[in-house]
Amino acid sequence: MKYLKQCCIIFGITMAGELLNALLPLPVPAGVYGLFLLLAGLCAGIVKLEQVEEAGSFLLDIMPVMFIPVTVGLIENYDLIKAVAIPLVVISAASTVIVMAVTGKASEFLVSLTGKEKKQDE
């Protein structure tokens, strides 16, 4: 029953994200709304980590299995994708490198900000 309750909490928040996606005219996926709602609930203490931790860990553990249907679909449609395969690979590789670089620089910046604040407090 514990896992069912935890899954219901997670799926309820996901449904609230779907509702926000339908109501707000922003180009944001419903899943992102749900993630932000869950983050806000966890930060505000409305949702306790213990209430969703085990079900969330389970969902993370089985996440690779969820990509199997997508991969099969790509393999089945190889003839359609073949024409744009090289540009697709180049764009994917370039965007991955750019995202990694920007994320790294943003992390360094945030760490330097927190490091400066700690030195000023001492």
Side-chain angles (χ1 to χ4, degrees):
M1 286 303 283
K2 177 172 63 171
Y3 293 109
L4 182 62
K5 180 181 176 186
Q6 290 182 8
C7 282
C8 285
I9 291 170
I10 292 172
F11 294 150
I13 292 171
T14 303
M15 289 299 296
E18 291 284 343
L19 180 65
L20 278 176
N21 188 37
L23 294 175
L24 298 176
L26 300 172
V28 178
V32 174
Y33 284 125
L35 287 173
F36 280 122
L37 287 173
L38 181 59
L39 176 65
L42 286 167
C43 289
I46 298 168
V47 178
K48 303 282 188 259
L49 183 59
E50 299 81 30
Q51 293 176 315
V52 294
E53 185 173 21
E54 291 170 352
S57 294
F58 171 73
L59 291 171
L60 282 174
D61 289 342
I62 66 165
M63 190 182 344
V65 176
M66 301 301 173
F67 287 102
I68 292 173
V70 175
T71 306
V72 170
L74 287 173
I75 292 170
E76 286 180 351
N77 294 311
Y78 176 72
D79 292 334
L80 298 172
I81 297 171
K82 185 171 48 176
V84 294
I86 292 175
L88 187 65
V89 169
V90 170
I91 290 170
S92 296
S95 63
T96 299
V97 170
I98 290 169
V99 167
M100 288 172 61
V102 169
T103 303
K105 288 297 179 185
S107 298
E108 286 178 358
F109 175 72
L110 291 173
V111 167
S112 70
L113 282 179
T114 57
K116 289 179 184 176
E117 288 177 6
K118 288 181 181 178
K119 289 179 184 176
Q120 288 176 356
D121 290 341
E122 293 175 355

